[in-house]
Amino acid sequence: MRPQTPIPIDVSDEIQVALGLGGPVVALESSVITHGLPYPANLDAARRMDQAVRAAGAVPAVVALVEGRVRVGLTEEDLAHLAVRGVVKVARRDLAVAIARSASGGTTVSATLAVAHALGVRVQATGGIGGVHIGAGRTWDVSADLDELSRRPLILVCSGAKAICDAGATLEALESRGVTVAGYRTARFPLFYVADSGFTTPWTVEGAAEVAAISRAKERLGDTSALLVANPPPPAWALDAEAVSEAVGRAIARADAEGIRGGDLTPYLLNEVDRLTGGRAVEANLALLESNAALAAEIAVALTEERLPA
Ligand code: PSU
Ligand code: MN
């Protein structure tokens, strides 16, 4: 048998130390930086998430591909390289290709979950997960995020699914996959910039300690699926459900007419929705990313506190 070459992964010293000590670490995806937000709002998002995690006492761990190496913890130089240059969007299926081709790219929720799990990181934050797209009955467009959530026992803090998804179908798909879903201080499933998708969450949690306790119980059960914590967007930034739904409808019609499909569709739709909402979607996106990063850090800290003797 040929000797195995190690996976090309670089974990920053700060994150290695935190993981070694069992300290609080929050994994962050980078596809929101490379594909989800326009420049320079993407850099702003990266900084705000980093600061929010640190302010709550945890260590941020942004995952990305830099010239074929999995990078965990980005330098300013990596960030500048990813934020400005055209790089690839790396879902879990694309990780191997990006490594083999020495490519740089932003990892989606699915690829980030895979890396975070391998490293033993227990909490991750994002804006909104990819879900079952509107019209998936015809297109079969269901994000790889969902299947990945079914096999990675992390806590994922998000504002529900992205507004371009069918909330009801996404909740059903999460249920089928055994993903535990809880609304954070709400019984309504958020839809990214929208606080209430019109669907209820199966459970409501009131604080970080409760989230940590559920995660602990899942671990004891040998439950390998994720715990999705659905945190609504900060009220001051939330957008009106009707307005967003109308913009999404128009964006989908345009994408259809232009033949946009596959991995390109989500970035296209997000950009269109932002244009149609006069830039309010990006502002809301930044605010909810920051708030989700802060909550994820609070949960990561609660997980470490649970392990201390009473
Ligand atoms: N959340 C955002 N913006 C984004 C995404 C999430 O606020 O761009 C990204 C995430 O990386 C998510 C991906 O995993 O979009 C889903 O893409 P798709 O629908 O192609 O699976
Ligand atoms: Mn898709």
Side-chain angles (χ1 to χ4, degrees):
M1 225 170 71
R2 287 213 328 193
Q4 291 267 319
T5 42
I7 294 170
I9 181 163
D10 303 312
V11 182
S12 77
D13 290 350
E14 183 190 30
I15 295 164
Q16 279 189 45
V17 169
L19 288 173
L21 294 173
V25 175
V26 174
L28 301 168
E29 55 143 314
S30 51
S31 130
V32 63
I33 301 167
T34 59
H35 291 77
L37 289 164
Y39 178 86
N42 57 353
L43 279 182
D44 197 18
R47 287 204 192 95
R48 283 169 65 174
M49 291 180 87
D50 184 281
Q51 281 164 12
V53 170
R54 290 183 191 282
V59 175
V62 181
V63 175
L65 261 285
V66 178
E67 289 163 355
R69 297 185 67 84
V70 177
R71 193 66 62 87
V72 185
L74 300 187
T75 62
E76 280 294 318
E77 197 188 340
D78 293 332
L79 198 58
H81 169 72
L82 293 166
V84 185
R85 274 193 18 165
V87 295
V88 287
K89 173 174 164 184
V90 183
R92 211 228 347 156
R93 63 166 190 185
D94 310 306
L95 268 173
V97 187
I99 289 169
R101 293 199 171 171
S102 300
S104 295
T107 52
T108 66
V109 167
S110 68
T112 307
L113 279 170
V115 172
H117 185 208
L119 287 176
V121 177
R122 300 163 72 196
V123 188
Q124 184 172 319
T126 188
I129 57 165
V132 178
H133 277 245
I134 294 165
R138 180 172 54 86
T139 63
W140 290 73
D141 194 343
V142 178
S143 176
D145 292 355
L146 297 178
D147 277 354
E148 213 53 40
L149 284 165
S150 75
R151 54 179 167 245
R152 305 294 176 185
L154 274 85
I155 299 167
L156 182 73
V157 180
C158 60
S159 299
K162 277 175 299 183
I164 55 174
C165 298
D166 177 330
T170 300
L171 279 164
E172 292 294 346
L174 287 166
E175 180 183 353
S176 308
R177 286 160 178 77
V179 178
T180 306
V181 177
Y184 195 77
R185 297 179 179 157
T186 180
R188 315 299 300 176
F189 190 65
L191 198 58
F192 209 35
Y193 336 102
V194 178
D196 181 1
S197 63
F199 291 84
T200 55
T201 52
W203 301 97
T204 299
V205 287
E206 297 301 334
E210 202 181 349
V211 175
I214 296 169
S215 172
R216 258 282 192 268
K218 276 174 79 83
E219 203 177 303
R220 282 200 302 271
L221 289 168
D223 181 344
T224 54
S225 71
L227 165 57
L228 196 91
V229 176
N231 186 31
W237 299 99
L239 303 187
D240 175 62
E242 292 267 310
V244 169
S245 155
E246 206 217 300
V248 167
R250 284 167 64 184
I252 291 173
R254 185 157 180 185
D256 227 20
E258 292 185 19
I260 314 278
R261 282 187 204 94
D264 295 337
L265 184 62
T266 290
Y268 179 94
L269 292 176
L270 291 178
N271 188 54
E272 269 299 289
V273 170
D274 188 52
R275 198 178 60 78
L276 294 166
T277 56
R280 289 177 58 216
V282 162
E283 286 178 357
N285 202 342
L286 292 183
L288 65 87
L289 280 165
E290 184 176 29
S291 140
N292 293 344
L295 177 57
E298 203 188 315
I299 293 168
V301 169
L303 279 172
T304 62
E305 283 165 354
E306 265 210 333
R307 259 180 287 137
L308 297 173

